[in-house]
Amino acid sequence: MILSEPTAATHLALDAVREVLAPLSADLRDALPGAADGADPEELHRLRVAIRRTRSILRELGEILPADRADAARELFAHLADATGEPRDLDVSLEGWDDLVGALGPELRHLLDPVRAALEARAAHAHHQLRLVLGAASTSRGLEAWSRWLEPGPQRPADLDVLAQQVGGRLRRLHERLVRDGRRITASSPGQDLHDLRKRGKRLRYLVECFAPLFDARPRRAFLTHLEDLQDNLGAHQDAEVQGQLLRSLAVDVNDGSASATDVV
């Protein structure tokens, strides 16, 4: 917890956090035009990753930042995360469409053309809404203020070693919770439990990657490999859940609102 009179170590910790956040801010701003344009889904993916990594650091180490700056950043990046979620999910569904229907014969795939058209229409609308958010003056002001705040001060060099104890303790607690909750998962667990577990695993991975210099390379790589395997497994389950929900909701669009989501199994 930061006291009212910051210590030298606190100043160094703040500079170190800025040093980690600055490349994420640069990557976010670099991906912003392509994500708004919508021509390349990978640009939106890059934007999402930068947002998620930034939010992970703010969540676990936000008390190092001045309270007003941390609160403004959390609000800004939560807003951007909400705005980018649906268009990214729809992009993934469109990218995986051929794999999804690949086992069907041409005559059956043709019957699904209205579903594909409804999916494309929904994606177009989601991207339009995203462009409005990314092009908003409030978004530009928020990102500009964030970038300016991240500019390093000339008086103190950042020192990541100052963060070792703080980051190590946070990561240890995140890992313990991940293992504890993972052991509680059973075949009857609701999908939300697996989704929450995946988000915690992703947050833990992002923090290890962002603060990589704090950890020995070999155990860090081995740990990240295990985390990535877990995320891949949970991600496949989550993708299936999202696709199922999406197809049920698309049934309403395809049937001009005459079908309910429960009519589609």
mmCIF file of all heavy atoms in Angstrom, residues 171 204-228:
data_model
loop_
_atom_site.group_PDB
_atom_site.id
_atom_site.type_symbol
_atom_site.label_atom_id
_atom_site.label_comp_id
_atom_site.label_asym_id
_atom_site.label_seq_id
_atom_site.Cartn_x
_atom_site.Cartn_y
_atom_site.Cartn_z
ATOM 1 N N LEU A 171 1.806 -12.597 -8.246
ATOM 2 C CA LEU A 171 1.752 -13.754 -9.137
ATOM 3 C C LEU A 171 1.577 -15.049 -8.353
ATOM 4 O O LEU A 171 0.871 -15.958 -8.802
ATOM 5 C CB LEU A 171 3.023 -13.819 -9.986
ATOM 6 C CG LEU A 171 3.239 -12.677 -10.971
ATOM 7 C CD1 LEU A 171 4.502 -12.902 -11.789
ATOM 8 C CD2 LEU A 171 2.044 -12.515 -11.893
ATOM 9 N N LEU A 204 -2.620 -14.090 -15.500
ATOM 10 C CA LEU A 204 -1.353 -14.534 -14.936
ATOM 11 C C LEU A 204 -0.281 -14.593 -16.027
ATOM 12 O O LEU A 204 0.859 -14.147 -15.823
ATOM 13 C CB LEU A 204 -1.543 -15.908 -14.282
ATOM 14 C CG LEU A 204 -0.309 -16.571 -13.672
ATOM 15 C CD1 LEU A 204 0.307 -15.691 -12.601
ATOM 16 C CD2 LEU A 204 -0.687 -17.938 -13.088
ATOM 17 N N ARG A 205 -0.622 -15.125 -17.183
ATOM 18 C CA ARG A 205 0.358 -15.216 -18.284
ATOM 19 C C ARG A 205 0.802 -13.832 -18.735
ATOM 20 O O ARG A 205 1.992 -13.594 -18.953
ATOM 21 C CB ARG A 205 -0.240 -15.988 -19.463
ATOM 22 C CG ARG A 205 0.722 -16.084 -20.657
ATOM 23 C CD ARG A 205 0.218 -17.064 -21.682
ATOM 24 N NE ARG A 205 -0.988 -16.614 -22.344
ATOM 25 C CZ ARG A 205 -1.006 -15.825 -23.426
ATOM 26 N NH1 ARG A 205 0.118 -15.357 -23.935
ATOM 27 N NH2 ARG A 205 -2.157 -15.496 -23.977
ATOM 28 N N TYR A 206 -0.137 -12.915 -18.894
ATOM 29 C CA TYR A 206 0.214 -11.571 -19.326
ATOM 30 C C TYR A 206 1.206 -10.920 -18.363
ATOM 31 O O TYR A 206 2.168 -10.271 -18.777
ATOM 32 C CB TYR A 206 -1.033 -10.699 -19.422
ATOM 33 C CG TYR A 206 -1.935 -10.999 -20.591
ATOM 34 C CD1 TYR A 206 -3.268 -10.598 -20.585
ATOM 35 C CD2 TYR A 206 -1.473 -11.687 -21.707
ATOM 36 C CE1 TYR A 206 -4.105 -10.853 -21.653
ATOM 37 C CE2 TYR A 206 -2.305 -11.963 -22.774
ATOM 38 C CZ TYR A 206 -3.627 -11.545 -22.749
ATOM 39 O OH TYR A 206 -4.454 -11.813 -23.810
ATOM 40 N N LEU A 207 0.967 -11.078 -17.061
ATOM 41 C CA LEU A 207 1.847 -10.454 -16.081
ATOM 42 C C LEU A 207 3.242 -11.071 -16.104
ATOM 43 O O LEU A 207 4.248 -10.356 -15.996
ATOM 44 C CB LEU A 207 1.237 -10.566 -14.683
ATOM 45 C CG LEU A 207 0.014 -9.688 -14.443
ATOM 46 C CD1 LEU A 207 -0.690 -10.090 -13.160
ATOM 47 C CD2 LEU A 207 0.406 -8.217 -14.389
ATOM 48 N N VAL A 208 3.320 -12.396 -16.242
ATOM 49 C CA VAL A 208 4.632 -13.046 -16.335
ATOM 50 C C VAL A 208 5.371 -12.554 -17.577
ATOM 51 O O VAL A 208 6.574 -12.269 -17.530
ATOM 52 C CB VAL A 208 4.480 -14.578 -16.352
ATOM 53 C CG1 VAL A 208 5.831 -15.249 -16.630
ATOM 54 C CG2 VAL A 208 3.919 -15.079 -15.028
ATOM 55 N N GLU A 209 4.656 -12.432 -18.694
ATOM 56 C CA GLU A 209 5.289 -11.963 -19.929
ATOM 57 C C GLU A 209 5.733 -10.507 -19.809
ATOM 58 O O GLU A 209 6.826 -10.140 -20.247
ATOM 59 C CB GLU A 209 4.324 -12.128 -21.104
ATOM 60 C CG GLU A 209 4.090 -13.574 -21.494
ATOM 61 C CD GLU A 209 3.005 -13.740 -22.545
ATOM 62 O OE1 GLU A 209 2.194 -12.794 -22.730
ATOM 63 O OE2 GLU A 209 2.954 -14.804 -23.172
ATOM 64 N N CYS A 210 4.882 -9.673 -19.232
ATOM 65 C CA CYS A 210 5.212 -8.247 -19.116
ATOM 66 C C CYS A 210 6.402 -8.005 -18.201
ATOM 67 O O CYS A 210 7.198 -7.088 -18.436
ATOM 68 C CB CYS A 210 4.001 -7.471 -18.620
ATOM 69 S SG CYS A 210 2.674 -7.279 -19.838
ATOM 70 N N PHE A 211 6.506 -8.811 -17.147
ATOM 71 C CA PHE A 211 7.593 -8.632 -16.194
ATOM 72 C C PHE A 211 8.633 -9.748 -16.316
ATOM 73 O O PHE A 211 9.244 -10.161 -15.334
ATOM 74 C CB PHE A 211 7.033 -8.573 -14.771
ATOM 75 C CG PHE A 211 6.212 -7.346 -14.510
ATOM 76 C CD1 PHE A 211 4.832 -7.379 -14.626
ATOM 77 C CD2 PHE A 211 6.815 -6.148 -14.188
ATOM 78 C CE1 PHE A 211 4.067 -6.250 -14.402
ATOM 79 C CE2 PHE A 211 6.060 -5.004 -13.957
ATOM 80 C CZ PHE A 211 4.693 -5.052 -14.072
ATOM 81 N N ALA A 212 8.849 -10.195 -17.546
ATOM 82 C CA ALA A 212 9.778 -11.302 -17.805
ATOM 83 C C ALA A 212 11.162 -11.099 -17.210
ATOM 84 O O ALA A 212 11.777 -12.071 -16.721
ATOM 85 C CB ALA A 212 9.876 -11.538 -19.320
ATOM 86 N N PRO A 213 11.744 -9.873 -17.216
ATOM 87 C CA PRO A 213 13.097 -9.718 -16.659
ATOM 88 C C PRO A 213 13.221 -10.076 -15.186
ATOM 89 O O PRO A 213 14.340 -10.257 -14.685
ATOM 90 C CB PRO A 213 13.395 -8.227 -16.885
ATOM 91 C CG PRO A 213 12.531 -7.832 -18.029
ATOM 92 C CD PRO A 213 11.280 -8.623 -17.864
ATOM 93 N N LEU A 214 12.111 -10.175 -14.475
ATOM 94 C CA LEU A 214 12.166 -10.510 -13.054
ATOM 95 C C LEU A 214 12.392 -11.998 -12.806
ATOM 96 O O LEU A 214 12.677 -12.397 -11.680
ATOM 97 C CB LEU A 214 10.868 -10.096 -12.354
ATOM 98 C CG LEU A 214 10.525 -8.603 -12.325
ATOM 99 C CD1 LEU A 214 9.192 -8.399 -11.632
ATOM 100 C CD2 LEU A 214 11.617 -7.792 -11.664
ATOM 101 N N PHE A 215 12.270 -12.829 -13.835
ATOM 102 C CA PHE A 215 12.266 -14.276 -13.640
ATOM 103 C C PHE A 215 13.355 -14.940 -14.472
ATOM 104 O O PHE A 215 13.666 -14.492 -15.578
ATOM 105 C CB PHE A 215 10.901 -14.857 -14.024
ATOM 106 C CG PHE A 215 9.743 -14.146 -13.377
ATOM 107 C CD1 PHE A 215 8.966 -13.253 -14.091
ATOM 108 C CD2 PHE A 215 9.455 -14.350 -12.036
ATOM 109 C CE1 PHE A 215 7.913 -12.571 -13.500
ATOM 110 C CE2 PHE A 215 8.408 -13.674 -11.432
ATOM 111 C CZ PHE A 215 7.631 -12.794 -12.162
ATOM 112 N N ASP A 216 13.902 -16.025 -13.943
ATOM 113 C CA ASP A 216 14.879 -16.807 -14.700
ATOM 114 C C ASP A 216 14.231 -17.359 -15.961
ATOM 115 O O ASP A 216 13.085 -17.811 -15.937
ATOM 116 C CB ASP A 216 15.412 -17.965 -13.853
ATOM 117 C CG ASP A 216 16.271 -17.477 -12.687
ATOM 118 O OD1 ASP A 216 16.811 -16.350 -12.796
ATOM 119 O OD2 ASP A 216 16.383 -18.204 -11.686
ATOM 120 N N ALA A 217 14.961 -17.346 -17.047
ATOM 121 C CA ALA A 217 14.385 -17.647 -18.358
ATOM 122 C C ALA A 217 13.838 -19.064 -18.457
ATOM 123 O O ALA A 217 12.724 -19.277 -18.946
ATOM 124 C CB ALA A 217 15.427 -17.409 -19.445
ATOM 125 N N ARG A 218 14.598 -20.052 -17.999
ATOM 126 C CA ARG A 218 14.171 -21.448 -18.207
ATOM 127 C C ARG A 218 12.888 -21.792 -17.454
ATOM 128 O O ARG A 218 11.934 -22.271 -18.065
ATOM 129 C CB ARG A 218 15.295 -22.411 -17.831
ATOM 130 C CG ARG A 218 14.936 -23.875 -18.086
ATOM 131 C CD ARG A 218 16.110 -24.786 -17.829
ATOM 132 N NE ARG A 218 17.186 -24.543 -18.780
ATOM 133 C CZ ARG A 218 18.342 -25.201 -18.762
ATOM 134 N NH1 ARG A 218 18.577 -26.134 -17.852
ATOM 135 N NH2 ARG A 218 19.266 -24.927 -19.663
ATOM 136 N N PRO A 219 12.805 -21.558 -16.134
ATOM 137 C CA PRO A 219 11.530 -21.860 -15.453
ATOM 138 C C PRO A 219 10.388 -20.979 -15.949
ATOM 139 O O PRO A 219 9.239 -21.423 -15.965
ATOM 140 C CB PRO A 219 11.847 -21.609 -13.980
ATOM 141 C CG PRO A 219 13.077 -20.788 -13.961
ATOM 142 C CD PRO A 219 13.845 -21.140 -15.175
ATOM 143 N N ARG A 220 10.700 -19.746 -16.358
ATOM 144 C CA ARG A 220 9.640 -18.878 -16.883
ATOM 145 C C ARG A 220 9.039 -19.465 -18.152
ATOM 146 O O ARG A 220 7.816 -19.514 -18.312
ATOM 147 C CB ARG A 220 10.185 -17.475 -17.170
ATOM 148 C CG ARG A 220 9.121 -16.500 -17.642
ATOM 149 C CD ARG A 220 9.719 -15.179 -18.086
ATOM 150 N NE ARG A 220 10.394 -15.291 -19.359
ATOM 151 C CZ ARG A 220 11.671 -14.987 -19.573
ATOM 152 N NH1 ARG A 220 12.425 -14.561 -18.578
ATOM 153 N NH2 ARG A 220 12.204 -15.120 -20.760
ATOM 154 N N ARG A 221 9.893 -19.915 -19.066
ATOM 155 C CA ARG A 221 9.392 -20.501 -20.323
ATOM 156 C C ARG A 221 8.582 -21.762 -20.055
ATOM 157 O O ARG A 221 7.540 -21.986 -20.690
ATOM 158 C CB ARG A 221 10.559 -20.784 -21.267
ATOM 159 C CG ARG A 221 11.157 -19.535 -21.904
ATOM 160 C CD ARG A 221 12.035 -19.907 -23.088
ATOM 161 N NE ARG A 221 13.200 -20.668 -22.667
ATOM 162 C CZ ARG A 221 14.396 -20.127 -22.411
ATOM 163 N NH1 ARG A 221 14.570 -18.817 -22.511
ATOM 164 N NH2 ARG A 221 15.410 -20.881 -22.041
ATOM 165 N N ALA A 222 9.054 -22.597 -19.133
ATOM 166 C CA ALA A 222 8.320 -23.831 -18.817
ATOM 167 C C ALA A 222 6.952 -23.509 -18.214
ATOM 168 O O ALA A 222 5.938 -24.122 -18.568
ATOM 169 C CB ALA A 222 9.138 -24.685 -17.849
ATOM 170 N N PHE A 223 6.925 -22.523 -17.325
ATOM 171 C CA PHE A 223 5.664 -22.121 -16.696
ATOM 172 C C PHE A 223 4.696 -21.572 -17.737
ATOM 173 O O PHE A 223 3.503 -21.914 -17.745
ATOM 174 C CB PHE A 223 5.955 -21.072 -15.628
ATOM 175 C CG PHE A 223 4.743 -20.624 -14.865
ATOM 176 C CD1 PHE A 223 4.096 -21.465 -13.981
ATOM 177 C CD2 PHE A 223 4.239 -19.338 -15.039
ATOM 178 C CE1 PHE A 223 2.984 -21.051 -13.270
ATOM 179 C CE2 PHE A 223 3.126 -18.914 -14.338
ATOM 180 C CZ PHE A 223 2.500 -19.771 -13.449
ATOM 181 N N LEU A 224 5.195 -20.728 -18.636
ATOM 182 C CA LEU A 224 4.337 -20.156 -19.667
ATOM 183 C C LEU A 224 3.812 -21.229 -20.616
ATOM 184 O O LEU A 224 2.673 -21.135 -21.094
ATOM 185 C CB LEU A 224 5.101 -19.084 -20.446
ATOM 186 C CG LEU A 224 5.345 -17.768 -19.700
ATOM 187 C CD1 LEU A 224 6.235 -16.843 -20.524
ATOM 188 C CD2 LEU A 224 4.026 -17.078 -19.377
ATOM 189 N N THR A 225 4.618 -22.239 -20.898
ATOM 190 C CA THR A 225 4.158 -23.333 -21.758
ATOM 191 C C THR A 225 2.972 -24.051 -21.135
ATOM 192 O O THR A 225 1.973 -24.347 -21.806
ATOM 193 C CB THR A 225 5.304 -24.330 -22.015
ATOM 194 O OG1 THR A 225 6.351 -23.670 -22.738
ATOM 195 C CG2 THR A 225 4.814 -25.522 -22.839
ATOM 196 N N HIS A 226 3.062 -24.322 -19.828
ATOM 197 C CA HIS A 226 1.942 -24.976 -19.139
ATOM 198 C C HIS A 226 0.699 -24.077 -19.144
ATOM 199 O O HIS A 226 -0.424 -24.558 -19.348
ATOM 200 C CB HIS A 226 2.338 -25.314 -17.701
ATOM 201 C CG HIS A 226 3.327 -26.420 -17.582
ATOM 202 N ND1 HIS A 226 3.131 -27.663 -18.147
ATOM 203 C CD2 HIS A 226 4.536 -26.487 -16.961
ATOM 204 C CE1 HIS A 226 4.161 -28.456 -17.882
ATOM 205 N NE2 HIS A 226 5.026 -27.764 -17.167
ATOM 206 N N LEU A 227 0.896 -22.792 -18.923
ATOM 207 C CA LEU A 227 -0.230 -21.867 -18.936
ATOM 208 C C LEU A 227 -0.881 -21.807 -20.308
ATOM 209 O O LEU A 227 -2.110 -21.773 -20.434
ATOM 210 C CB LEU A 227 0.235 -20.469 -18.527
ATOM 211 C CG LEU A 227 0.181 -20.088 -17.052
ATOM 212 C CD1 LEU A 227 0.650 -18.649 -16.871
ATOM 213 C CD2 LEU A 227 -1.214 -20.265 -16.478
ATOM 214 N N GLU A 228 -0.069 -21.774 -21.352
ATOM 215 C CA GLU A 228 -0.604 -21.708 -22.713
ATOM 216 C C GLU A 228 -1.386 -22.971 -23.054
ATOM 217 O O GLU A 228 -2.434 -22.904 -23.716
ATOM 218 C CB GLU A 228 0.528 -21.487 -23.704
ATOM 219 C CG GLU A 228 1.112 -20.074 -23.630
ATOM 220 C CD GLU A 228 2.451 -19.949 -24.324
ATOM 221 O OE1 GLU A 228 2.909 -20.967 -24.898
ATOM 222 O OE2 GLU A 228 3.037 -18.854 -24.289
#
